[in-house]
Amino acid sequence: MTAADPVFRRLRLSGLAATVAVLAVACGTPTSAPPAGTATTATAEAERTSTTAPVDLQAMRVDEQTAVKAVDTFWRTHFAEEFGKEYQSPRVEGGYVGANGPQCGGEPSVPFNAFYCGPGDFLAWDEQLMEAGYSQIGDAWIYLIIAHEWGHAIQARLNRDQVSVQAELQADCLAGAALQGAANDGVIKIEPGDSEELAQTLAAVADDYPWTNESDHGNAQERTSAFSTGVQGGVSACA
Ligand SMILES: [Zn+2]
């Protein structure tokens, strides 16, 4: 993949696929996210601390900013034509560490999480979560987490009957639509053949991450399918 703009870094969709499975632990509203200190969080922490690869934090920050710009640009360009109303960007609170993030509805931030806060209409993420995926999988991790959480912000802008009861899978679908759409618009570029890699990589990674919460987010196959639906069918396929 090559970037259409030198500002935009290369985005590997094969890495993106791997991210889908792991994102189950990453995403959630503050009310549905696993509380700190649970076995789930402890496992994630153990995985994180076992990482030895150094993370280029400056490069990671650039990817975060690039992902925000790419996804926001996509929705700013296409939201009105898709849904017939004006688009307003959610706020991006950006990275926090542990429980020192922005509160949502009076609830403290959850360590090792990323979330969209409806009451505050903002996105936020724990930089430790970003670092873990960035070092173990790559920059696509950043893009998918941000695109997925942005999908929840989009859901908050829709009529209730446009939001799927399977909200997490719909957010995966909207993430696929936004990232593919950004590629179609020449903002980022994705190589052909990556859809097949998506399914293969996701299946392998799902086995490697036992803390994936299938009841909340769907299993690896369901999430891959939802993401691919957005990639192939665009926003309208997700609604
Ligand atoms: Zn989600």
Side-chain angles (χ1 to χ4, degrees), residues 206-228:
D207 291 337
D208 292 340
Y209 294 90
W211 70 82
T212 298
N213 188 337
E214 296 188 356
S215 63
D216 279 355
H217 292 83
N219 62 35
Q221 186 175 9
E222 289 170 329
R223 302 200 73 188
T224 307
S225 177
F227 183 86
S228 297

Side-chain angles (χ1 to χ4, degrees), residues 27-28 148-149 152 167-168 171 217 223:
C27 174
H148 175 103
E149 297 306 333
H152 288 309
E168 294 301 333
H217 292 83
R223 302 200 73 188

Side-chain angles (χ1 to χ4, degrees), residues 5 21 26 43 54 87 89 98 102 107 110 115 125 134 143 146 160 164 168 179 186 198 202 204 207 210 218 220 233:
D5 182 313
T43 307
Y87 172 75
S89 302
E107 296 293 320
V110 175
F115 64 95
W125 53 81
Y134 195 77
Y143 286 82
I146 290 175
R160 186 170 298 179
S164 170
E168 294 301 333
L179 292 175
L198 184 90
L202 179 56
D207 291 337

Side-chain angles (χ1 to χ4, degrees), residues 131-153:
E131 288 177 29
Y134 195 77
S135 62
Q136 294 173 36
I137 293 177
D139 57 358
W141 170 274
I142 305 292
Y143 286 82
L144 185 56
I145 287 179
I146 290 175
H148 175 103
E149 297 306 333
W150 216 289
H152 288 309

Side-chain angles (χ1 to χ4, degrees), residues 224-237:
T224 307
S225 177
F227 183 86
S228 297
T229 295
V231 167
Q232 294 167 13
V235 174
S236 60

Side-chain angles (χ1 to χ4, degrees), residues 17-38:
T19 311
V20 177
V22 187
L23 192 60
V25 75
C27 174
T29 61
T31 51
S32 67
T38 64

